[in-house]
């Protein structure tokens, strides 16, 4: 994969960010402290550059029908300006990527893919459109679009202040909906009330050549609200606390949505509702739903201070291996180690006492229902 640069790379360097390679992109890992950036999002607001995410436009008379076939969600039922979390699966039921789809017009959808899977998703969408004979096209507009997120309890105030007209739009937006807004300086943005932190927040899709101006606008209007730039490290700890899966950790070609506890995103249609046609992986996923899975994704909370990391073994009271950790770290909000892990269904009941093998030492952990953190709770 070729190395790509966010249009905000110079801005991140000016701010002293630690820059790392992430899925072929040069991206900020942190600016100051992972924990400080994490707490800023939980208490005030954080500013994220997410320009590495893929923006794929699916358009044409059969765009909705094509996505119905290509994805596990019933996309043709989406209303205008709605957003929907969904997945693209293999015929064997494994997850190729998890996606957020926005309906920008009746024949225009924007599919947001993970950076590491963007090329795969483009190829699969095009192949499935061709296989089904749909009148639709896929355009990869990632390089032309920057994605900037404002996340946290003060996000709505900051984004509202950034608007020139339609200033009432951000507060009026419901969760997982979007709108076109005009920002100060005459800049247009497609703004969605979506995010990956467990907090209220907004994601602003803007032309790449306006990214620096929009970033500066957010900084200017967020200064008094406690807004701080945040890197990929704090984004990971925030999403883990919120129990949100990460592709390559909780999601993969070897796991179905049902194993990940996300079977709800697979829409087979209802006997009392609209018909749902065939989609890639339908038969396999229906069989998995009917038979259940041997392993399930659970949350683990540690009793000590040592965190279990991805790949660490999970064992029962007798020392027998019952699972594997997919993500883990010390939770800045809870003050305890937390992890997500796939464990045998027989050991997945909340309250079950297990342990993680942390470099040869068993660290006691208890199964809990996800998420670890829920805002307002």
């Amino acid at each position: 994969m070729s190395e790509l640069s966010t249009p905000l790379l110079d801005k991140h360097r000016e701010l002293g960010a630690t820059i790392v390679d992430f899925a072929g992109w040069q991206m900020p890992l942190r600016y100051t402290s992972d924990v400080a950036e994490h707490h800023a999002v939980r208490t005030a607001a954080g500013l994220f550059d997410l320009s590495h995410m893929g923006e794929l436009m699916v358009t044409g008379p059969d765009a909705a029908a094509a996505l119905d076939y290509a994805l596990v969600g019933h996309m043709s039922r989406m209303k205008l300006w709605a957003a929907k979390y969904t997945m693209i699966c293999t015929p064997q039921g494994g997850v190729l990527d998890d996606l957020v789809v926005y309906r920008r017009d009746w024949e225009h959808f924007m599919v947001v893919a993970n950076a590491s899977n963007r090329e795969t998703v483009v190829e699969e969408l095009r192949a499935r459109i061709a296989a089904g004979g749909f009148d639709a096209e896929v355009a990869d507009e990632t390089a032309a679009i920057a994605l900037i997120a404002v996340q946290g309890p003060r996000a709505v105030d900051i984004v509202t202040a950034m608007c020139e007209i339609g200033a009432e739009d951000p507060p009026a937006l419901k969760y997982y909906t979007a709108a076109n807004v005009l920002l100060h300086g005459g800049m247009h943005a497609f703004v969605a009330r979506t995010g990956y932190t467990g907090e209220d927040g907004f994601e602003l899709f803007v032309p790449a050549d306006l990214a620096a101006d929009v970033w500066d606008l957010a900084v200017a209007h967020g200064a008094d609200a406690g807004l701080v730039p945040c890197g990929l490290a704090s984004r990971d700890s925030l999403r883990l606390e919120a129990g949100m899966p990460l592709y390559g950790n909780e999601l993969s070609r070897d796991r179905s949505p049902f194993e990940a506890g996300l079977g709800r995103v697979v829409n087979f249609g209802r006997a009392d509702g609209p018909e749902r046609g065939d989609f890639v992986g339908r038969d396999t996923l229906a069989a998995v739903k009917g038979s259940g899975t041997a392993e399930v994704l659970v949350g683990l909370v540690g009793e000590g201070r040592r965190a279990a990391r991805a790949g660490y073994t999970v064992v029962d009271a007798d020392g027998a291996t019952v699972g594997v950790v997919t993500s883990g770290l010390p939770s800045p909000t809870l003050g305890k180690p937390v992890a997500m892990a796939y464990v045998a269904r027989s050991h997945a009941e909340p309250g079950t006492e297990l342990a993680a093998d942390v470099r040869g030492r068993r660290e006691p952990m208890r199964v809990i229902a996800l998420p670890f953190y829920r805002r307002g709770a």
Side-chain angles (χ1 to χ4, degrees), residues 19-68:
I19 304 298
V20 297
D21 178 271
F22 185 80
W25 289 75
Q26 294 295 290
M27 297 297 297
L29 180 66
R30 68 178 62 84
Y31 298 85
T32 55
S33 155
D34 299 348
V35 173
E37 292 169 19
H38 181 108
H39 284 310
V41 176
R42 290 281 181 252
T43 60
L47 180 62
F48 296 84
D49 177 13
L50 307 179
S51 299
H52 60 299
M53 302 294 284
E55 287 85 20
L56 318 175
M57 304 301 169
V58 181
T59 58
D62 294 340
L67 290 177
D68 279 348

Side-chain angles (χ1 to χ4, degrees), residues 258 285-292:
F258 292 96
L285 290 169
V288 172
K289 180 182 179 181
S291 63

Side-chain angles (χ1 to χ4, degrees), residues 10-255:
D10 289 343
K11 185 72 63 178
H12 301 320
R13 286 174 171 158
E14 290 171 9
L15 292 169
T18 299
I19 304 298
V20 297
D21 178 271
F22 185 80
W25 289 75
Q26 294 295 290
M27 297 297 297
L29 180 66
R30 68 178 62 84
Y31 298 85
T32 55
S33 155
D34 299 348
V35 173
E37 292 169 19
H38 181 108
H39 284 310
V41 176
R42 290 281 181 252
T43 60
L47 180 62
F48 296 84
D49 177 13
L50 307 179
S51 299
H52 60 299
M53 302 294 284
E55 287 85 20
L56 318 175
M57 304 301 169
V58 181
T59 58
D62 294 340
L67 290 177
D68 279 348
Y69 175 71
L71 310 180
V72 300
H74 202 171
M75 316 315 292
S76 60
R77 297 195 64 202
M78 290 179 66
K79 297 179 180 178
L80 290 181
W81 308 108
K84 193 173 187 65
Y85 177 74
T86 188
M87 296 178 181
I88 181 168
C89 288
T90 67
Q92 296 75 34
V95 179
L96 284 173
D97 200 14
D98 61 332
L99 314 163
V100 177
V101 178
Y102 300 87
R103 191 164 202 168
R104 303 194 62 169
D105 206 337
W106 295 116
E107 299 181 0
H108 183 178
F109 294 80
M110 179 169 67
V111 177
V112 178
N114 285 295
S116 59
N117 295 327
R118 174 179 58 87
E119 294 175 350
T120 296
V121 174
V122 170
E123 291 173 3
E124 281 296 324
L125 287 176
R126 288 175 175 163
R128 294 177 187 192
I129 286 171
F134 298 105
D135 185 0
E137 296 181 350
V138 180
D140 184 355
E141 298 189 11
T142 304
I145 296 174
L147 177 54
I148 296 171
V150 182
Q151 300 282 302
R154 299 297 304 275
V156 65
D157 300 325
I158 296 167
V159 176
T160 299
M162 293 170 65
C163 294
E164 179 70 35
I165 60 173
E168 297 302 317
D169 287 343
L173 281 179
K174 295 180 180 179
Y175 188 50
Y176 263 64
T177 63
N180 287 324
V181 302
L182 182 63
L183 305 175
H184 287 296
M187 299 181 291
H188 292 270
F190 179 74
V191 178
R193 200 163 198 167
T194 49
Y196 193 54
T197 64
E199 296 294 339
D200 188 17
F202 297 83
E203 295 180 316
L204 292 80
F205 298 85
V206 299
D209 59 358
L210 295 179
D213 291 334
V214 174
W215 180 275
D216 289 342
L217 185 66
V219 170
H221 287 282
D224 294 335
L227 179 74
V228 301
C230 296
L232 295 174
S234 61
R235 187 169 184 251
D236 189 50
S237 59
L238 289 159
R239 70 91 193 168
L240 175 54
E241 286 186 348
M244 296 177 169
L246 176 67
Y247 195 89
N249 291 45
E250 288 72 42
L251 303 175
S252 73
R253 293 171 181 252
D254 299 322
R255 298 284 185 181

